[in-house]
Amino acid sequence: MTNVRGALGTRYFLLLAILAPLAGCTGGSSEYSEEEIQAKIVEFDYEKGVQGFEPPSLEELEANNTWTDKPVIDLLDKLKKDLADYTPPMPPAEAVNLKSENDEQITEILESVKVLPKNEDEVDWEGTWVHHVAGDINSLNPLTMSSTSDFDVAALTGVGSITSDIDLNAVGNGTFIKTWQVNEDNTVHKFVIRDDLTWSDGEPITAYDWEFTFKLVKHPEMVAYMPAISSGMETVLYLKAYDERTFCIFHEKSTAVNEWKDEFPVIPKHIYYESIAMDPSMVDSDIHLELENKPVVGGPYEVLSRTRGKNVILQRREGFYMHDGKQVRDKPFFKNIRMEVITDTNTALLALSSGKIDEMEIPAPKWNTDANTPEFFAKNVRVKATEWTEYHITWNCESEFFKDAKVRRAMSYGIDYKELLDRVLDGLFEQANGPFHPSSWMSPKPPLPMFTYDLDKARKLLDEAGWVDSDADGIRDKMINGKKVPFHFTLMRGQTPTSEKVARVVVTSLNKLGIKVEERATEFTVLQQKAQDHTFDAMLGGWGSGTDPFYTKNIFGTDQTRNYGQYSNKKIDELYEEGMVELDREKRAKIYQEMAKIFYEDQPYTWLFYLSSLYGFNKDMRGYEFSARGPFHYSPGMESVWKVKPL
């Protein structure tokens, strides 16, 4: 199962090298002759993934389409304007001294610290933000990113046409895009990029970089290396650059998620055109090894240094906010951002308390202990907010134990939620009853009732499903294929303190139903592989919120790649197709609400709780605000964070 923080649209995958290492492959200046390089380019054939579609000329497009403008916003600039006349409930320097003793205090803190600087003298422009990451940065190539840490780097260094605002709405990324228009049937999207964009090596960013990257995403030899991106692009037919600033994206049909399919990370054509033809894996050749440590980027920050397992240090990029001697975008607030890798939670909390890092996500078991001491509050404030991330038990619907929806419903009635939420998790999380958070637009209104701890209902459902204690040994059993099978299964989980605490409650609760549960802590890569292979009975895990409910099709659609529990419901499959092509938000909401009701009856998962964002921030930090995806995974997100200039 995915890590609950890394499920923001991420597909987890195994990289398989298809070429032997190409020592010295550095494009034109390598041991390969120009003739050999050109032969490799011809053999690779950048058109392989887009053959069969002939884009019309720009003149034909203009003559045959009526265009509608879509919103293009520089969201940091918008936030600055929105907060221009804002008066916080109390001075931020006072708010950060509150102890977060209740929700009212936490709201007061967040409403006070979300401010942007009133004048430049408030900002520590030479300062460093030490950003905690719990796992190593896997890749600095935005096409092969595969973890939350990777996404954080890409957000600060990358280039893209579409972004998500704090409410998870798609907007044209005004940092890079000048205009975004769609035709009358929503199948052609036309973009004009800004003319003040350069890569970190000084070369201009052009529409041809978008076209080049798109052809890579669609190329059959590249899919294995970046399935997180390519899997969302099946219905995108073509991207055509008509000049240095204009490109059009052609969609197979009109859908409600076409705008999100316009978004993918962009890499520089002039850097990768030769090297990828020589080494599609982007990991085996010298040039790609070099680019992993010092990539050419187009965002507000560039990579200063990288030490694997320790940190990645970013530095402010003058070429991002200055162009031809003029300031064209907001100057990034930090001179440097250091992504500090600390895998041990206790070590990270000590680093936060001592001021060695500036913020971190606090595990629930630490909220009222290590993050609630005078030492912690001396330098830090703790805050929390609602997230749409949900935590659940995945039932393998093809397992003999969980084929029957009655059994799965019995499991959901058999969990002691009060014990779990109030005592084990200290009341920090709210109970869940489905994949869509009750505050989201796609969730049923009024909300569906929560499952309660009801052993009588659970026993009745198990009896009806044929699971009874036939030999009075205290364990339910059932005849399956002529053999008596005891209800004894293994619950797989990760190796985190939270998953351990949750598993103990599940084991204790279900034992009272005459069900023997063996919980097993499993290393993440093994857990992931068993999930993909469906070789498990039950598994603890979670999914973070994507930008649109359609993307849960990958989780609950029949035979979909992340449908680890092998759930299948024909009506659900039909509703996903209806939800994809319906453009009206209110009508779409009804489709997903109907879907949620089916999930509620079928219980392919037992949904346990929605997580809260639990964070500690240094008292000098300002400008952070929480979305349904936490404080960073939206725009402006990390770009609005700043540090107070020391006195």
Side-chain angles (χ1 to χ4, degrees):
M1 187 57 64
T2 70
N3 177 286
V4 295
R5 298 295 178 181
L8 305 173
T10 305
R11 273 66 166 176
Y12 293 89
F13 52 91
L14 179 65
L15 296 180
L16 302 173
I18 59 173
L19 293 178
L22 298 171
C25 172
T26 56
S29 57
S30 72
E31 65 180 84
Y32 294 92
S33 68
E34 185 62 32
E35 290 77 13
E36 289 174 312
I37 293 171
Q38 292 306 313
K40 278 287 186 182
I41 291 172
V42 171
E43 179 185 346
F44 183 73
D45 185 3
Y46 279 97
E47 304 296 320
K48 271 185 184 177
V50 293
Q51 291 171 346
F53 182 84
E54 291 295 329
S57 67
L58 189 57
E59 292 74 17
E60 290 172 318
L61 276 176
E62 297 294 358
N64 297 324
N65 289 283
T66 301
W67 303 100
T68 299
D69 290 328
K70 299 281 282 184
V72 175
I73 306 171
D74 181 328
L75 286 167
L76 180 58
D77 186 60
K78 179 180 183 298
L79 181 63
K80 185 184 296 185
K81 293 174 182 175
D82 290 345
L83 294 176
D85 299 321
Y86 176 71
T87 301
M90 63 189 304
E94 294 180 19
V96 295
N97 288 317
L98 297 175
K99 297 296 189 292
S100 310
E101 294 169 339
N102 52 54
D103 289 344
E104 289 73 22
Q105 279 194 3
I106 291 172
T107 298
E108 198 162 23
I109 294 167
L110 288 173
E111 290 298 310
S112 299
V113 300
K114 72 179 185 181
V115 295
L116 291 177
K118 294 291 186 183
N119 59 72
E120 291 196 357
D121 292 339
E122 294 182 59
V123 181
D124 184 8
W125 293 102
E126 295 302 302
T128 296
W129 172 8
V130 185
H131 170 60
H132 171 249
V133 292
D136 198 13
I137 289 88
N138 297 315
S139 177
L140 298 185
N141 183 334
L143 295 183
T144 57
M145 57 188 177
S146 62
S147 72
T148 302
S149 304
D150 296 2
F151 280 109
D152 286 350
V153 175
L156 293 165
T157 60
V159 176
S161 54
I162 304 295
T163 190
S164 166
D165 67 13
I166 194 169
D167 297 315
L168 307 190
N169 298 310
V171 300
N173 190 345
T175 301
F176 303 106
I177 299 298
K178 182 178 181 181
T179 63
W180 171 29
Q181 297 175 307
V182 302
N183 70 341
E184 57 272 22
D185 70 354
N186 193 38
T187 58
V188 184
H189 293 195
K190 182 173 69 171
F191 293 86
V192 177
I193 69 172
R194 293 173 55 148
D195 61 1
D196 53 10
L197 304 171
T198 59
W199 295 105
S200 55
D201 64 354
E203 289 294 314
I205 298 173
T206 74
Y208 297 109
D209 294 311
W210 262 267
E211 181 182 74
F212 168 73
T213 307
F214 174 76
K215 288 178 179 178
L216 288 178
V217 171
K218 298 289 282 188
H219 198 285
E221 289 184 42
M222 301 298 294
V223 171
Y225 303 110
M226 47 186 178
I229 299 170
S230 59
S231 63
M233 303 291 286
E234 298 93 339
T235 60
V236 184
L237 298 172
Y238 206 91
L239 189 154
K240 170 68 175 175
Y242 288 96
D243 54 46
E244 289 199 342
R245 295 181 58 208
T246 307
F247 66 87
C248 286
I249 299 179
F250 297 88
H251 295 267
E252 183 179 291
K253 58 185 176 182
S254 176
T255 79
V257 293
N258 279 4
E259 57 197 9
W260 290 116
K261 293 178 183 292
D262 292 344
E263 172 57 2
F264 53 88
V266 180
I267 61 173
K269 178 179 180 179
H270 70 282
I271 295 295
Y272 286 97
Y273 183 75
E274 292 183 354
S275 67
I276 285 180
M278 304 295 288
D279 171 24
S281 74
M282 296 181 285
V283 296
D284 288 332
S285 51
D286 286 350
I287 187 172
H288 291 135
L289 293 173
E290 181 181 335
L291 287 167
E292 262 299 323
N293 291 318
K294 188 72 173 177
V296 175
V297 300
Y301 289 86
E302 59 186 326
V303 177
L304 180 64
S305 67
R306 178 188 192 181
T307 305
R308 288 188 180 272
K310 185 176 181 182
N311 59 45
V312 170
I313 301 176
L314 308 178
Q315 68 178 1
R316 183 167 55 222
R317 192 168 75 86
E318 186 173 312
F320 170 78
Y321 66 96
M322 300 294 294
H323 187 75
D324 291 341
K326 297 179 181 179
Q327 185 167 338
V328 293
R329 272 171 286 273
D330 287 307
K331 180 180 178 179
F333 286 122
F334 294 94
K335 180 179 181 180
N336 295 110
I337 297 179
R338 190 166 83 237
M339 306 287 192
E340 194 72 13
V341 180
I342 307 177
T343 56
D344 180 71
T345 300
N346 294 322
T347 304
L349 273 166
L350 287 172
L352 183 64
S353 295
S354 64
K356 293 180 180 178
I357 60 175
D358 288 312
E359 45 69 33
M360 68 171 287
E361 188 172 9
I362 300 172
K366 302 291 185 180
W367 179 262
N368 287 322
T369 54
D370 302 56
N372 192 30
T373 65
E375 292 77 16
F376 177 89
F377 288 122
K379 292 182 180 292
N380 303 286
V381 63
R382 60 176 191 174
V383 289
K384 69 184 180 78
T386 298
E387 263 194 44
W388 289 358
T389 298
E390 49 82 7
Y391 201 84
H392 59 257
I393 306 170
T394 303
W395 306 115
N396 188 337
C397 297
E398 290 300 313
S399 162
E400 292 294 346
F401 298 116
F402 304 115
K403 282 184 175 181
D404 193 332
K406 288 183 179 179
V407 174
R408 301 194 297 268
R409 287 175 61 79
M411 299 300 100
S412 297
Y413 281 119
I415 304 298
D416 189 341
Y417 298 100
K418 186 172 182 61
E419 172 71 17
L420 175 64
L421 297 170
D422 293 349
R423 287 184 280 277
V424 173
L425 298 174
D426 291 329
L428 295 172
F429 304 140
E430 59 182 297
Q431 188 177 343
N433 64 350
F436 309 136
H437 191 276
S439 66
S440 66
W441 61 267
M442 73 287 297
S443 180
K445 307 292 186 295
L448 297 170
M450 294 294 168
F451 273 81
T452 58
Y453 184 40
D454 192 326
L455 294 179
D456 289 338
K457 284 185 179 178
R459 290 180 181 117
K460 184 174 184 295
L461 286 165
L462 288 168
D463 290 345
E464 292 174 359
W467 288 98
V468 297
D469 185 2
S470 65
D471 52 12
D473 65 351
I475 303 296
R476 291 177 180 266
D477 54 70
K478 183 179 181 179
M479 295 298 295
I480 299 175
N481 298 324
K483 182 181 179 181
K484 185 169 71 174
V485 177
F487 207 140
H488 178 184
F489 72 91
T490 299
L491 174 67
M492 300 186 65
R493 64 168 180 86
Q495 296 174 312
T496 66
T498 300
S499 68
E500 180 182 6
K501 288 174 178 279
V502 172
R504 287 177 182 172
V505 174
V506 173
V507 170
T508 302
S509 297
L510 297 184
N511 280 349
K512 295 176 182 178
L513 292 172
I515 296 172
K516 187 173 181 180
V517 185
E518 179 184 345
E519 59 104 352
R520 182 176 299 166
T522 309
E523 195 271 329
F524 177 70
T525 56
V526 176
L527 194 73
Q528 173 187 326
Q529 193 61 51
K530 285 185 172 292
Q532 293 172 344
D533 295 340
H534 314 297
T535 53
F536 68 96
D537 292 314
M539 183 178 296
L540 282 177
W543 293 113
S545 173
T547 50
D548 190 276
F550 170 75
Y551 292 111
T552 59
K553 177 183 178 182
N554 196 246
I555 300 168
F556 298 111
T558 300
D559 295 329
Q560 293 292 308
T561 55
R562 294 192 296 174
N563 187 346
Y564 301 142
Q566 303 183 87
Y567 172 66
S568 179
N569 184 305
K570 183 179 179 181
K571 182 61 177 176
I572 288 290
D573 295 335
E574 292 172 356
L575 288 170
Y576 272 122
E577 296 308 307
E578 291 177 26
M580 180 177 66
V581 299
E582 177 56 65
L583 303 183
D584 183 271
R585 170 65 72 87
E586 291 186 7
K587 292 179 180 178
R588 288 192 79 214
K590 287 181 169 49
I591 292 170
Y592 292 109
Q593 288 163 6
E594 182 180 353
M595 194 178 294
K597 293 174 183 176
I598 297 173
F599 290 144
Y600 188 82
E601 292 301 317
D602 283 355
Q603 290 292 290
Y605 291 178
T606 287
W607 283 276
L608 299 171
F609 51 85
Y610 301 107
L611 274 74
S612 296
S613 291
L614 305 174
Y615 274 81
F617 280 87
N618 184 279
K619 289 182 178 181
D620 290 337
M621 301 293 275
R622 302 284 187 272
Y624 49 91
E625 192 172 3
F626 285 79
S627 74
R629 300 172 70 173
F632 303 135
H633 299 124
Y634 70 94
S635 185
M638 300 183 86
E639 291 181 60
S640 66
V641 179
W642 57 287
K643 186 179 283 190
V644 175
K645 187 176 182 179
L647 296 175

